[in-house]
Amino acid sequence: MNSLLDGRLSLTTPEGVRLLLVPAGPVARGYAWAIDFVAWGMGASFLISILGAVIPSEKLLNGVTAIVFFLAYWAYPVLCEVYAGGRTLGKHIVGLQVLRANGLPVRWRESVLRNLLMVADFLPLLYAAGLLAMLCDRHFRRLGDIVAGTQVVYRDKPPKRVAVPDAAPLPLPFPLTPEQQRALADLFARESRLPHARMLELADIAEPLTGRDGDASLERLRGMAAGLVR
C-alpha cells in the first residue's frame, strides 16, 4: 500500500513497517546525471590512453574501445545501483538513491531494465521522453522506472547520535517501552534549549520513575538517560 502525503511517498512493507520517502524531481536527478556523465567521461578518457598504449593497431583499438565504452556505459550505473545501495557517484553527491516501488533495494533485474530503457527516455532528443514522463508522473518516474518498477528518492540522512549526559549511568528501576526510552534520551539532548524550571517540572512528573522530586529527580533521570545512550 502506498500514498502521497505532504510530498512524501508513504509505503507500508509486508512486515508492517511504514516508510516515508521523498521522490526526487527532474532538477535533482539532472544534477546527478550530469555528475555521472562527467565522471564517466573522465574515466573513458583515461581508458583510451591505456588502450592506446597497449594496442598498436588503430582499427583494433577503435573496435575494442567501442566495445569497452558500450559495456562501461551500461555496467557503471547497474553495478553502482546493485552494490552501492542504489547510488551512482552523482546520486551519492546529490543525496539520492534508487529503490524498488515497494521501498526495498533494487536487484539486478530492476537495475538492468531501467538502465537499458534509458535509450527510450533519451528520445527524441536530450531525454525529452524521460522528462515528459517525470512531469506527468506524481512520483517523478521516467519510462525506465515505470517499466522496471523503481523510483528515485532522496536518501535519509543518518540520525545524529544523541549526546551522552554528563552523569554516572544508572539502571532503570523497571523496564520502559522503546518510545519512553527515546523520550528520556531526547529530553537531555534538548536540555540546553529548555529552561531549568521546565526541566524541573518534567523531573517532578517523572517522580514514579525516580522516586525523587526537584533537582534530585532530575539528576536521577540524567543518570538513567546516560545508561540508555551508552
Side-chain angles (χ1 to χ4, degrees), residues 80-81 84-89 91-92 96-98 155:
C80 287
E81 290 172 4
R87 293 170 288 171
T88 58
L89 176 63
K91 289 184 176 66
H92 176 76
L96 309 178
Q97 69 179 140
V98 183
R155 188 175 74 254

Side-chain angles (χ1 to χ4, degrees), residues 85-143:
R87 293 170 288 171
T88 58
L89 176 63
K91 289 184 176 66
H92 176 76
I93 293 175
V94 178
L96 309 178
Q97 69 179 140
V98 183
L99 297 173
R100 280 187 273 165
N102 57 6
L104 297 178
V106 292
R107 300 170 299 189
W108 285 101
R109 175 187 172 276
E110 293 86 11
S111 183
V112 170
L113 187 57
R114 75 182 299 272
N115 285 292
L116 284 177
L117 285 171
M118 268 198 291
V119 176
D121 285 301
F122 186 83
L123 297 174
L125 183 67
L126 299 176
Y127 287 96
L131 178 60
L132 180 62
M134 281 191 279
L135 294 176
C136 294
D137 185 82
R138 65 175 184 164
H139 299 160
F140 301 118
R141 295 174 298 175
R142 61 176 176 84
L143 297 176

Side-chain angles (χ1 to χ4, degrees), residues 165-168 170 184 187-188 191 194-207 209-226:
D166 186 16
L170 293 176
L184 179 56
L187 172 62
F188 290 95
E191 184 176 10
L194 293 175
H196 185 65
R198 177 57 176 164
M199 293 293 294
L200 290 178
E201 180 182 348
L202 295 172
D204 286 340
I205 296 175
E207 187 272 336
L209 177 65
T210 63
R212 306 283 194 281
D213 58 11
D215 285 309
S217 179
L218 183 61
E219 289 307 311
R220 287 191 64 83
L221 283 177
R222 183 175 285 109
M224 293 174 191

Side-chain angles (χ1 to χ4, degrees), residues 44-56:
S45 300
F46 178 71
L47 187 59
I48 288 176
S49 63
I50 294 179
L51 292 176
V54 174
I55 302 175

